[in-house]
Amino acid sequence: MQQVAEEDPEKGAAWATTTAAQPEEVTPLINNAPTSQSFIYGSPPPASLMPSTSSFISSNTTCSSAVTPRFSNVTIDDDSDNDGNNNPPPRVPSMSSTTSLPARSSSTNNRPTSSSRVPPPRQKSSLHRPLDNGSGNGGSSENNNNASSFHHRPAVPQRQPLHSTRSSRIKTSSTLIILVLGLFLAVCTLFQYFVMGPDSFNLPPDLDSNNNDGGSTIGEGVGAEGGRSSGSSKAKRKQQQHNDVKFDEFGRYIVEDYDANPPFSDILPGVAGIYGKPLYVFYVNRGQGIASFGVKSKDYPIMEYYSANNAYQNTALLGFRTFYKGRREGNLLQGKKSKEFLVEPFDSSRTRFSQLMESSSWNEQEESRYPVRRMFIGANDMTIQEVDMWNKIETNVTYFNLPEEDFGAFVKRTTISNLDEKDALHLSVLDGLARIQPVGGKLSSLLKMIGRTIEGFMGVHHAGWVDDLTMPFFRMSEIPDDEDAVVVEEAGHFCLSYIEYQEKDLLPIVYDTNKVFGEDTSLMRPMGLYEKSIKEILEGKQYGAARTSSAFAAVDDVTIWPGQKITITSFYGRADSITDLPIIARRITQGGFATYKLSRARALIQQITSSAETVTAEHLFDKHVEQMFLDNALMGGIPVLLGDTDDDGGNADDDEKIKVYHLFSRRGDLERDYDRFIIESTYFSEGPSNFRDVIQNRRNDVIFNPRVGAFNFNMFLSLIQADGYNPLSVEAVVFSVDDPEVCLRLATNAVGFADGHRAQREALASILCDGEFRPGQLVEMIEEQNIFLMTSLSSFIDDVAASSKVSPAAVTEGAGFSADHWTYILDLMASYLQIYPDREEYLLFSSKLTYYYSHRVVSPRKNKYVLSKSYNGEWLHVRQLDATYESTERREYMRQYVNPASGWYKNEANMQHDVEGNIFKSSAMEKLFLLATIKFATRDPFGIGIEYEAGKPGWNAALNGISSMLGSGLPEAYELKILLQYIHDAILKYSRPITVPNELAELIEKISTALDELGDSDFIPSYEPEGEVKVPQPLFLYWDAVATAREEYRAISLFSGETHQYSSGDVAKFTKRWMKQIDLGIDRANVIGSHGHTQSAGAVITPTYFSYNVTKWEETGDHNDEGHPFCIAKEMVIGKFPLFLEGVTRVMKTMDKKQAVALYEHVKHSGLRDKELKMYTLSSSLTGQSYDMGRMMGFSSGWLENQSVWMDQSYKYYLELIKKNMFDQFFEEMLNGMLPFIDGEKYGRSVMECSSFIASSAFEDPKMRGRGVLARLSGATAEFLSIWKLMFIGETLFQLNEGGELEMQLVPTLPSWLFKENDLVQSPAEKKYVIRFKLFTSISVAYFVATPKDLFGVKPSKYIIGLRDGSIMSVESISSTLAANIRKVVYIDYIHAYF
């Protein structure tokens, strides 16, 4: 190693000048490097994001009163200053404090006037310059953090001293002269207007930059009439040749004529920051986009949840609507009359459908009547635009979740622009939600089943003065449960709205639907506006009882001068009480509030995606990497570190005071309507999700953030039960503090030592010691009990986390256990060892892990093998039904762990105990060995696959019927082989004994006895293309004996506490013997092969699934609940299925490169290949298969799991190709079948977003082939990030040399076409091409080559490493201390590798 005193040649002398102009780097949420500007949680944004005199950015979180209400006490006066403390983002003032309502007008009805007139255009003043950044004007995301982007109102002038009498007279004379001149100019202006006409005015264009996300791309192409030119319709409908044209300069995906395109649905991420309360939001490309939003789940809607197919129909009518009732003044002297109109932007009647535009009657005049519409899909916001040249009005609407506030809200910003260069636009406007639902318990199913009855509970209340319409509160009188205990509803939904730059005047809300739509119950036409003006509607009486209301912000008169615009901003959310509304109103009406919050919403996502920053020659690929990282995070969660997180690079393994907590995990949307999603509207928002989804999408956590250590591996292995299964739903980990003295210390530090704080101190200590909690729940309990914190909330959370223990939390939902979930634990272990190869022994033997304890148990065969008729009633067959049951014994045992304070189970209730009441724990190696033993004992009668004995299949959940067919899966057998091989090698490597419960030792002994009796015969059957293959009797007897032993083991609820120790040699002997049996089973499977329509059976491609048909049985004499007799199987024959891609993917993991290449060629020419799309389908044709297989047979061919291109499985296959160093094959497949390189026109949505599946060529409708369905939240994101890791980092980033020392080596797999020209080259001798990316979320890495070339497994010739202290090192290899420091991240600034 050599330390170099010279400058980095890539940076050179010009580096400082170059980088000085770069935007400030946003701190990533996954924070490793020390930074003084971190605002990971509990602290305000950096100063560069903060206005110097903002009235709503005060970060004071210390209350001055003795009681802390639900909202923090924050000063919001217009002249308040930012104190610069590193505290959580500010929140609404105290509800208990005396606060004035928003400023009121002097109108007789005591509500602010909705009349507003925008002045004529004027030159832009620095004091009045609105936000041009993050304001919805398409400002560059790189500038989102500039302080200059924040709007400040001009300061109020100070009172001047009294003048002398003479100066007063001079001033009076000057004033009179100015008034006379002004009057003269006014007369001249009126003369010009009425005599010469308005055309004589040539007003300068508006210089206001507060465009609502139009951006230069939206507004390009000014037409001859002064607006945007629509261009030729045929040219606009022409298919684009490159996906690049689908994105604007800010990386937003553009959908031209979005409402005329095939329908699709999408989501807003539901990310409101760590100290924010998100809402769920779903949208479609119909109407004004938003199809549903609400709080927590679809059961608590603000806008009712509908599945995608219904949302495509309903959104344009039931969603957000806007109505303009306006006129343009004419000139009577020139014979021009006023033009009045009533128009609804984004209405479906003016959609530019291709059938209309291609008809023979279509012409330029006809085209001008149909506005041009676009949708702009951002990472955390969505914008729609309509350019209506017939009425010369442009409408831009931007939606986003309100971030970093103590209340949740969804924000709609509607910007109305006058495109006419000459005539002013006089408008009355209704802008809002056609149907808003109240708060009243779980409403989703009630609204659909008994909606008319439910309306009887509905009402609209008001938080303002008498007759004030500005703060309506939508709630039901009580929760509509038919129970004896009546619950009165106090919470409600709200709608608050204003015109930006007139924020103090809240707009009145029209909530009476009949006033807008009259008797048109279809809501297609605003019949009320044909009859009355908006002003008349506001002056009239509105009714909200016993009906579903609307929520329209009303502007009764506004003048928009040529080239000018106004923005109506509305907030829709939920409040716990009607008394909250005035305080929320004061919060949101601070100058520039909405604009700043939009910039923060974008910045939050940028903080997340910056962890995967990638810069190559393919810009779309770079953005796709960030999108996949984001969507992967939404599935698995973003890991953040809580507790004593000093900037020393320590990880959660080494420091027990560092706790890992995941944020923002959620799943569910309009297309995945089967998902019961939950998005907690709390701080530290985190929702539960499926075990497989979470464990799969956390695979790369340690790759991007080494400080999380073995957290995920230990957590998910702890959730493995003693029976080898696991709970189906995973929740966020819970914290607990068991020591009362620690609780009291934490409470004292938080609320103070004074005697006057004793009550709050004791209350807080009680909360901390009363059971498990999560950070968001802890904050809610503190707010509910009005506990006042003397310290910042973030510091308090860290103190509590550092002193707490963390436990995994999960829920056993429904019946059955999935057969494949355990296999993903191997992926977590592999990822960990790629970063920490020197800690393998510690990982396997040091930590003691618990077992999850479930109340559900797998039924023995005698209680689930049922004799019943076939689906057509022609024959009897044996099926496996009710494969699991709820154990009364286990339920009774768990009840002793109910927390009396909360009534909930303590986490200990779900931990395996022994008969003495002790929690049973094992090392990771011991749990892995137990898991391998159970799975080996679960092999099917032919000894081929792992039985689907617990009511659910493996990865392919659509094979839900295969369990009833006594089915089994070969994929799990391949994974078991990998696990056994790893245990065998690791146990010999470290020569450490293991200890297992006696009950497991007894099972192992019975397995060994059965194997001895089976003998050494391989039992390879003869090939039978069509005939049935009977299970040989010796194999059947072995299976029966081992299955019986397994059932006896599972019948034990609690371990005895006695253990048995095995030496490393014993374990190696067991695993070696078991692997031999698995290999024999695989050989049998390859002989039996697959079978399907138009497909010959054979062994060139591995089969995936099997079933067993019982040909001989005995009835037990017992019956199930439906009267079917139970029976015992005596003989079986094996059943075959068509080819599935899952089997190919799993078996390739066990192959060498030569074998993998041969398999690849077979698959490429098989029924698994979609030759038209050049992609791979989930299965070959299923025609002719039994419907007993499951719901996949009910789906149409090419759709969902029936022979579609399932992206998760396809990406798993691609991942195996690059793992096997099949580089040419991988990159060929990448350009054909991976985003963002596929045909965007066929895909039908943003090529940034990965769908769950693509309709294959097997689908009957040619127009749907290649269409992406079930957008985002796909398991493919995890596979893609693993591919990205192999491409940019290599297979093993860290390894141990022969001397056992740590080494680091970057070995990328990058094609030449990804290299871009290096724009920082200083001399011809320097490397001219570069690829850049982030390592560990914060270390900048660059690869340099002289000319573009493939780097396939090539090591760098030299590294130049920049440290954070400014020093630079040049080395040929990275070893020892330097490698360890890179892994700690905090010391390293950049790594430049030269090839």
Side-chain angles (χ1 to χ4, degrees), residues 537-641:
I537 291 176
L538 292 174
E539 291 174 347
K541 183 71 174 177
Q542 296 189 53
Y543 305 98
R547 65 186 65 183
T548 302
S549 297
S550 300
F552 286 101
V555 180
D556 60 25
D557 183 27
V558 63
T559 299
I560 308 177
W561 296 92
Q564 292 238 322
K565 68 195 75 174
I566 65 167
T567 296
I568 302 171
T569 299
S570 302
F571 298 80
Y572 298 84
R574 181 188 186 279
D576 291 334
S577 170
I578 195 171
T579 58
D580 294 1
L581 261 62
I583 303 167
I584 294 175
R586 277 186 58 84
R587 177 70 174 145
I588 66 174
T589 55
Q590 305 305 303
F593 179 84
T595 305
Y596 173 73
K597 287 300 181 179
L598 176 56
S599 69
R600 285 299 303 140
R602 290 171 172 167
L604 285 172
I605 299 300
Q606 186 182 0
Q607 291 174 52
I608 295 174
T609 59
S610 64
S611 299
E613 179 182 323
T614 304
V615 181
T616 70
E618 292 289 336
H619 174 70
L620 293 184
F621 176 78
D622 303 342
K623 292 299 181 184
H624 181 59
V625 172
E626 295 182 2
Q627 182 69 53
M628 294 293 268
F629 184 87
L630 171 63
D631 290 346
N632 183 80
L634 296 181
M635 290 275 283
I638 286 284
V640 295
L641 301 180

Side-chain angles (χ1 to χ4, degrees), residues 411-424:
V411 186
K412 179 180 192 263
R413 300 179 71 229
T414 303
T415 296
I416 309 165
S417 303
N418 182 3
L419 299 182
D420 199 299
E421 293 183 340
K422 301 172 183 178
D423 292 340

Side-chain angles (χ1 to χ4, degrees), residues 422-451:
K422 301 172 183 178
D423 292 340
L425 176 63
H426 304 275
L427 281 183
S428 295
V429 182
L430 288 182
D431 180 64
L433 201 54
R435 288 173 64 94
I436 186 171
Q437 302 301 332
V439 174
K442 294 184 176 182
L443 291 182
S444 184
S445 61
L446 296 179
L447 290 171
K448 293 172 175 58
M449 301 302 296
I450 55 171

Side-chain angles (χ1 to χ4, degrees), residues 77-151:
D77 293 333
D78 286 343
D79 59 349
S80 65
D81 294 326
N82 172 30
D83 61 9
N85 294 334
N86 292 326
N87 294 321
R91 290 170 289 278
V92 174
S94 165
M95 291 180 181
S96 62
S97 60
T98 303
T99 55
S100 60
L101 296 175
R104 305 284 171 176
S105 70
S106 57
S107 58
T108 57
N109 59 1
N110 289 324
R111 66 169 181 258
T113 177
S114 60
S115 178
S116 173
R117 297 182 67 85
V118 177
R122 60 170 181 262
Q123 292 297 322
K124 190 163 45 175
S125 166
S126 60
L127 289 176
H128 291 79
R129 179 174 182 175
L131 266 140
D132 57 11
N133 164 29
S135 61
N137 58 346
S140 174
S141 60
E142 294 180 348
N143 298 322
N144 279 346
N145 298 342
N146 292 342
S148 62
S149 68
F150 198 89
H151 170 68

Side-chain angles (χ1 to χ4, degrees), residues 21 282 395 475 860 1202 1301:
F282 305 131
T395 307
R475 67 173 175 83
N1202 188 339
E1301 294 182 338

Side-chain angles (χ1 to χ4, degrees), residues 642 659-661 733-737 768 771-775 797 800-802 804-807:
L642 303 177
K659 304 300 191 300
V660 179
Y661 194 79
V733 297
V734 293
F735 296 79
S736 60
V737 185
L768 293 172
E772 291 90 1
F773 55 85
R774 298 185 177 97
I797 294 294
V800 172
S804 302
K805 72 174 183 179
V806 173
S807 302

Side-chain angles (χ1 to χ4, degrees), residues 813-1053:
E813 292 184 336
F817 296 105
S818 294
D820 71 315
H821 286 180
W822 62 273
T823 64
Y824 299 98
I825 292 176
L826 306 182
D827 296 334
L828 293 179
M829 181 171 60
S831 295
Y832 177 83
L833 294 179
Q834 290 169 16
I835 303 299
Y836 293 100
D838 51 331
R839 300 177 67 88
E840 183 178 29
E841 184 175 8
Y842 169 86
L843 177 74
L844 294 176
F845 298 99
S846 296
S847 299
K848 292 296 183 179
L849 308 176
T850 59
Y851 293 79
Y852 189 82
Y853 189 76
S854 174
H855 60 275
R856 295 204 70 86
V857 182
V858 180
S859 301
R861 290 166 296 163
K862 66 179 182 180
N863 293 337
K864 62 183 177 183
Y865 280 16
V866 176
L867 186 64
S868 64
K869 290 185 178 181
S870 62
Y871 72 94
N872 57 11
E874 294 183 357
W875 65 85
L876 292 174
H877 62 169
V878 175
R879 292 190 298 164
Q880 180 176 240
L881 303 177
D882 300 322
T884 64
Y885 69 97
E886 183 168 325
S887 170
T888 304
E889 177 187 359
R890 289 179 172 237
R891 274 292 191 193
E892 287 298 323
Y893 183 82
M894 293 171 63
R895 285 195 179 97
Q896 66 180 298
Y897 296 102
V898 172
N899 186 336
S902 63
W904 298 346
Y905 283 117
K906 298 178 182 178
N907 213 37
E908 191 176 346
N910 289 120
M911 296 180 183
Q912 178 74 46
H913 292 72
D914 61 25
V915 294
E916 300 295 329
N918 302 311
I919 298 175
F920 194 90
K921 297 182 179 181
S922 299
S923 69
M925 176 59 84
E926 292 162 350
K927 285 208 71 172
L928 290 174
F929 180 68
L930 178 144
L931 180 61
T933 302
I934 299 296
K935 297 307 174 183
F936 181 76
T938 317
R939 292 187 306 143
D940 63 22
F942 230 122
I944 294 176
I946 305 300
E947 285 189 79
Y948 295 149
E949 51 143 8
K952 291 183 180 295
W955 175 88
N956 193 345
L959 275 170
N960 52 294
I962 196 173
S963 174
S964 71
M965 301 171 72
L966 280 65
S968 66
L970 199 51
E972 291 76 21
Y974 291 130
E975 295 289 346
L976 177 58
K977 179 181 178 180
I978 295 170
L979 175 59
L980 288 171
Q981 187 66 60
Y982 176 79
I983 293 174
H984 176 273
D985 296 344
I987 203 73
L988 292 179
K989 179 179 181 180
Y990 297 109
S991 299
R992 303 255 313 242
I994 63 172
T995 300
V996 301
N998 258 5
E999 292 79 1
L1000 184 69
E1002 293 173 4
L1003 173 60
I1004 293 173
E1005 182 64 27
K1006 293 175 182 178
I1007 293 173
S1008 298
T1009 300
L1011 285 173
D1012 293 339
E1013 294 175 355
L1014 180 63
D1016 297 328
S1017 178
D1018 56 19
F1019 299 104
I1020 303 296
S1022 59
Y1023 177 56
E1024 297 286 347
E1026 299 297 336
E1028 294 181 337
V1029 180
K1030 181 180 177 181
V1031 177
Q1033 190 65 12
L1035 279 177
F1036 182 86
L1037 293 176
Y1038 165 81
W1039 166 78
D1040 185 56
V1042 173
T1044 300
R1046 182 183 72 236
E1047 291 167 354
E1048 293 171 348
Y1049 167 79
R1050 286 179 177 157
I1052 301 172
S1053 175

